[in-house]
Amino acid sequence: MIRVFVEGVGIIGPGLPSWNESRHILAGRQVYAGGELPRLSASRLPAAERRRSTSVTRLAIDVAEQALPPQVRADEVATVFTSSGGEVEIIHKIFEELSTAERLISPTQFHNSVHNAASGYWSIATGSRQPSTSLSCFDDSFAIGLLETASQASVERTGVLLVAYDFPPLQPILRARPLPAPFAVSLLLAPAPSGHGFGELTINFAGADTGDASRMADAGLETLRSGNPAARSLPLLAALARSEAAELVCPCGEYGRVHIGLTPCG
């Protein structure tokens, strides 16, 4: 069992612009109505880097920023970035270029196509030289990212920021990999409580027959949860928003289940 504490939370999705603006929806006090994705600014990035960044990278950077409390310096926090598809916009453009006779791929596109592009831009934005891990585990990217982040926080005895994000690819890739909406979540996990956090998590990995996936009562949020790997975090975010104890199950495909216990801070 891994025991860690949630010290910060961030969320960006359609009609869910930030943690503070979305808590009442996640807590069930208002029906989720969907809506537009908020404007992604990545304001921490220098102007030149911001112009080169993709929507995917700006989504990851903006949600990462939300989870950092004022007393925590971004350049002192290790990170885990996890996404099933990564830089889908750039991959689409590279495929288009490869289909032409010239097959010319710009260095900027190649630079932005790697799976740890968001992690690299975050390091530039914050000046951080802390360790960073980038993961891709298809539909299990959030569950595995949570396990990795909690493990690092517990073993290294330091704060670690989890950033899970996925953006729908363009057609024709969308037909093969349907994702109805973009979504991103961030959690700052620490090995000990600060007194300003949200609650304690106990995390276990168990066999595949150890429980059904936790779901959302709101139909719109359940559609979002089932349609985007990063949104598998929604049941945990809803429990955090309600500040209530919970026992949750997050599937990891055929391999097993991540069991998450939440005890809110008093």
Side-chain angles (χ1 to χ4, degrees):
M1 176 188 296
I2 305 171
R3 182 170 176 256
V4 291
F5 295 83
V6 180
E7 297 295 318
V9 186
I11 180 175
I12 296 177
L16 303 168
S18 69
W19 171 248
N20 287 333
E21 295 171 280
S22 305
R23 289 186 70 167
H24 59 295
I25 297 174
L26 296 169
R29 294 191 289 271
Q30 179 180 328
V31 174
Y32 174 60
E36 299 293 324
L37 197 69
R39 180 177 175 273
L40 303 172
S41 61
S43 57
R44 265 184 181 264
L45 277 171
E49 301 299 333
R50 191 162 55 245
R51 283 195 296 273
R52 297 189 189 101
S53 67
T54 66
S55 299
V56 181
T57 290
R58 292 193 291 274
L59 174 66
I61 288 181
D62 283 357
V63 82
E65 179 101 30
Q66 286 186 30
L68 292 178
Q71 69 273 17
V72 175
R73 288 180 46 170
D75 61 351
E76 295 179 346
V77 176
T79 53
V80 174
F81 286 77
T82 183
S83 174
S84 76
E87 294 290 341
V88 290
E89 289 181 359
I90 294 297
I91 298 300
H92 177 86
K93 290 177 181 176
I94 289 177
F95 284 170
E96 284 187 324
E97 292 293 344
L98 290 175
S99 69
T100 65
E102 294 79 11
R103 298 168 67 89
L104 296 176
I105 300 173
S106 79
T108 300
Q109 286 185 359
F110 181 77
H111 164 83
N112 281 334
S113 70
V114 295
H115 194 69
N116 63 348
S119 167
Y121 275 101
W122 175 254
S123 297
I124 293 170
T126 61
S128 175
R129 296 188 177 184
Q130 296 298 317
S132 185
T133 303
S134 293
L135 300 172
S136 178
C137 304
F138 199 56
D139 284 345
D140 306 325
S141 293
F142 170 73
I144 298 300
L146 179 64
L147 274 176
E148 174 67 20
T149 307
S151 299
Q152 288 191 21
S154 178
V155 172
E156 302 296 337
R157 309 302 298 170
T158 187
V160 184
L161 176 64
L162 168 65
V163 184
Y165 58 99
D166 259 302
F167 215 92
L170 300 173
Q171 295 287 7
I173 303 175
L174 186 62
R175 285 199 296 273
R177 178 55 169 158
L179 265 73
F183 187 87
V185 58
S186 57
L187 296 170
L188 177 62
L189 303 184
S194 67
H196 304 287
F198 294 80
E200 176 186 356
L201 298 182
T202 53
I203 301 174
N204 283 307
F205 186 79
D209 56 351
T210 56
D212 296 330
S214 299
R215 301 179 186 279
M216 300 298 294
D218 184 291
L221 289 176
E222 175 57 19
T223 299
L224 189 58
R225 185 201 69 81
S226 62
N228 187 307
R232 306 294 199 274
S233 59
L234 276 169
L236 174 58
L237 299 182
L240 287 167
R242 293 191 298 267
S243 297
E244 68 179 22
E247 294 291 334
L248 306 167
V249 178
C250 194
C252 279
E254 62 187 78
Y255 305 107
R257 301 283 187 270
V258 176
H259 289 251
I260 307 165
L262 169 64
T263 303
C265 289

